[in-house]
Amino acid sequence: MMNTEYRTKISDKRWIAYDIPGNIGWITWLVCTVRGLREKRDLHSIAAMVPAVLMMTGVVELISERIDGLDRILSGKRLFRGFGVLTAGGLLGIPIALLGLKKNKKRAAAMLAGSALCAFFAGLLFAGYKKQ
């Protein structure tokens, strides 16, 4: 079974421009999720853990890729476990954040912004990789 390789030719400037708001997004989601769990363990705060776990899975994979020196060339597995899962976590967070608007508008708005930033910018980086 052959492992497909993906490459990106995105510039360092563009990478940083996508990376910083994407990082702000997942960090915001995680902080809000932890605060929500500390405040009250209800269905919404527990559901918020699913995108948080996906985001952290993606981040850990991306950190391990960076340590291995695989910034611009990734196997399909690593691409999908990194940027794919991070994007999915951000996308899943959007409806969960919207459901929380009735309970805590400020936190839900921050979670919505965080998940949208994460999904959008991780998605842009993900889409920049092309099969070789």
Side-chain angles (χ1 to χ4, degrees):
M1 184 193 243
M2 195 168 139
N3 198 2
T4 305
E5 191 174 85
Y6 291 81
R7 291 178 186 250
T8 186
K9 294 181 181 179
I10 191 169
S11 69
D12 288 343
K13 286 181 184 179
R14 184 169 286 185
W15 187 285
I16 291 168
Y18 293 172
D19 194 44
I20 291 171
N23 287 338
I24 290 168
W26 68 260
I27 291 168
T28 300
W29 183 271
L30 289 177
V31 168
C32 291
T33 297
V34 169
R35 288 181 137 187
L37 284 167
R38 292 173 108 192
E39 183 179 294
K40 183 177 182 183
R41 287 194 178 108
D42 58 8
L43 186 58
H44 182 261
S45 65
I46 293 168
M49 288 296 298
V50 177
V53 168
L54 290 172
M55 290 175 189
M56 285 309 303
T57 300
V59 168
V60 167
E61 177 62 30
L62 293 170
I63 290 170
S64 74
E65 291 166 5
R66 176 70 56 128
I67 290 168
D68 290 343
L70 302 173
D71 295 337
R72 308 297 170 115
I73 303 169
L74 300 174
S75 68
K77 283 183 182 181
R78 293 197 102 158
L79 176 64
F80 285 93
R81 264 192 325 235
F83 290 114
V85 171
L86 192 55
T87 303
L91 289 171
L92 181 59
I94 293 170
I96 291 172
L98 290 171
L99 291 172
L101 283 172
K102 292 180 183 176
K103 294 181 181 228
N104 186 324
K105 286 184 182 175
K106 285 183 181 180
R107 184 178 303 128
M111 292 175 86
L112 181 60
S115 61
L117 284 169
C118 178
F120 184 73
F121 289 103
L124 286 173
L125 287 167
F126 180 65
Y129 280 84
K130 303 298 178 206
K131 190 185 274 191
Q132 296 299 303

